[in-house]
Amino acid sequence: MSHSVALNFADGRTFFIAVQEDELLLDAAVRQGIHLPLDCREGVCGTCQGKCETGIYEQEYVDEDALSERDLAERKMLACQTRVKSNAAFYFDHSSEICNAGEALKITTVVTAVELVSETTAILHLDASSFDKELNFLPGQYARLQIPETDDWRSYSFANRPNANNQLQFLIRLLPDGVMSNYLRERCQIGQSLMMEAPLGSFYLREAERPLIFIAGGTGLSAFLGMLDNIADQPNQPSVQLYYGVNTEADLCEQKRLIAYAEKIKDFSYHPIISSASELWQGKSGYIHQHLDKQQLQQQCFDMYLCGPPPMIEAVKSWLDEQSIEDCSIYSEKFLQSNTVRT
């Protein structure tokens, strides 16, 4: 029996390895070509330190000078002393380059559909079944896609969880004159090939032991769709609040899918918020931070995930500071108009 384990690094690269039932994590990584930093191999030096983000694991000897009691409580671990007991994900606060881990996977995909869900948003469907096994990625991570007939690459979050058929979705903002946007509007055809590099990114769903608050701006929703798919299949589901902010009602997308999560996740609430609402809009309007429940957040511990435009993320973080709300963990990813980040 083996477990699927994700090793995520500070440069955003993730590598999946198989770890046997009684195999040390360090040995499994080295066996599969990922040379984690090491020195003593005795649980003393702390060189192979990482953090378990999700999953069950046990450690053998760990010297108190390597990891303190607080470190252990925060799920920090030593790869040379760790045996995993389930599928898991570990984070290492250094570049994957020092592990000689190689590059992320490059896979040829095929366009199966393009849905123009609004004037500003499209859903791109890709078939990655040319990859001969299930493509692993963590819910919330992203892929880089090469625009056909160009040398340009753009990055987009997966809008679904991994699946046996490697059918993938990406929620894409249509810019007035973007390279990917123009391709989707003018040249994209069913059956066309796109090169994809994946998985990438340090924004992904961690072990959910506290209530979750998801805050999405625009196509930042994409990352949360995969997370919600994952939570819907969990036996022990955390409570989830999703706040989804867009400019106009026409920018809202995947509404049926979002509403359906209420049937799959027993404690799920969804709050669409329109910043430039029309007179016909009867829901919440303005900005997301204006609708957060100060009293509720001051009284509970929670994990907050933010994904979307930088002004939205900074506004929420500033609001949390102003309200002196501190008992939370915050994970965020900004969508920027750039060649190297999400557009």
Side-chain angles (χ1 to χ4, degrees):
M1 178 180 178
S2 66
H3 303 295
S4 176
V5 173
L7 305 179
N8 185 262
F9 296 92
D11 57 354
R13 295 191 181 278
T14 300
F15 299 88
F16 284 82
I17 62 173
V19 182
Q20 303 303 318
E21 182 63 28
D22 199 41
E23 188 176 22
L24 288 168
L25 180 61
L26 178 64
D27 292 340
V30 171
R31 175 171 59 82
Q32 291 162 87
I34 301 173
H35 297 273
L36 296 171
L38 61 91
D39 192 355
C40 71
R41 277 186 176 265
E42 301 293 338
V44 175
C45 70
T47 304
C48 60
Q49 178 183 153
K51 181 178 181 179
C52 183
E53 302 278 25
T54 182
I56 302 170
Y57 66 101
E58 294 178 355
Q59 295 198 85
E60 297 182 352
Y61 176 75
V62 176
D63 190 271
E64 62 182 9
D65 289 333
L67 293 178
S68 66
E69 289 295 327
R70 179 174 179 177
D71 289 334
L72 295 172
E74 293 176 351
R75 294 171 64 86
K76 292 182 180 179
M77 39 63 69
L78 302 179
C80 71
Q81 300 295 310
T82 295
R83 299 187 191 276
V84 298
K85 302 298 180 182
S86 71
N87 293 346
F90 294 87
Y91 174 76
F92 295 91
D93 193 20
H94 54 73
S95 171
S96 63
E97 293 182 357
I98 69 174
C99 303
N100 296 317
E103 298 182 352
L105 293 171
K106 288 190 176 180
I107 301 167
T108 299
T109 69
V110 176
V111 176
T112 57
V114 178
E115 298 178 62
L116 296 177
V117 293
S118 76
E119 292 184 0
T120 60
T121 309
I123 301 176
L124 175 63
H125 296 256
L126 296 179
D127 177 0
S129 59
S130 65
F131 189 57
D132 61 2
K133 55 186 177 181
E134 183 174 318
L135 175 64
N136 280 315
F137 52 90
L138 300 172
Q141 287 193 300
Y142 69 91
R144 294 177 70 235
L145 304 178
Q146 185 177 22
I147 293 85
E149 302 174 5
T150 78
D151 294 326
D152 294 306
W153 294 73
R154 293 294 184 270
S155 301
Y156 301 100
S157 297
F158 292 102
N160 61 293
R161 62 175 300 178
N163 58 85
N165 297 322
N166 287 342
Q167 301 303 300
L168 307 175
Q169 300 175 34
F170 300 91
L171 200 60
I172 297 176
R173 179 187 176 197
L174 297 176
L175 302 173
D177 192 29
V179 177
M180 176 63 87
S181 302
N182 290 340
Y183 163 71
L184 292 177
R185 281 189 292 250
E186 301 167 5
R187 308 192 313 279
C188 183
Q189 298 180 4
I190 306 304
Q192 198 163 29
S193 294
L194 272 76
M195 185 63 68
M196 178 181 74
E197 182 182 32
L200 298 163
S202 297
F203 184 75
Y204 53 83
L205 185 64
R206 272 70 175 177
E207 189 84 19
E209 298 179 343
R210 308 192 292 186
L212 298 175
I213 298 177
F214 291 164
I215 296 182
T219 52
L221 175 69
S222 190
F224 294 113
L225 295 173
M227 292 185 186
L228 290 166
D229 283 350
N230 191 72
I231 292 171
D233 281 347
Q234 292 180 358
N236 299 315
Q237 298 174 337
S239 67
V240 183
Q241 298 180 58
L242 170 65
Y243 293 85
Y244 174 30
V246 295
N247 291 328
T248 70
E249 297 98 304
D251 295 323
L252 291 170
C253 62
E254 292 285 63
Q255 293 303 285
K256 290 183 179 179
R257 182 174 175 183
L258 292 174
I259 293 170
Y261 285 123
E263 307 254 333
K264 303 174 183 177
I265 302 172
K266 61 182 180 181
D267 190 2
F268 173 74
S269 60
Y270 166 50
H271 310 278
I273 300 168
I274 311 298
S275 60
S276 300
S278 71
E279 295 180 356
L280 299 176
W281 176 249
Q282 298 181 354
K284 295 180 173 65
S285 60
Y287 298 102
I288 291 175
H289 66 275
Q290 297 171 330
H291 296 278
L292 297 175
D293 189 329
K294 171 184 174 181
Q295 184 175 4
Q296 178 197 41
L297 298 184
Q298 288 178 333
Q299 293 176 353
Q300 71 174 14
C301 304
F302 61 92
D303 293 338
M304 179 178 284
Y305 291 75
L306 304 103
C307 190
M312 179 207 75
I313 291 176
E314 295 307 317
V316 172
K317 288 182 176 180
S318 295
W319 182 88
L320 292 171
D321 289 340
E322 291 168 2
Q323 309 306 321
S324 299
I325 297 172
E326 300 176 348
D327 199 0
C328 61
S329 296
I330 298 177
Y331 307 96
S332 63
E333 181 161 76
K334 298 176 180 178
F335 276 34
L336 303 173
Q337 297 183 25
S338 162
N339 290 346
T340 57
V341 290
R342 241 64 82 248
T343 55

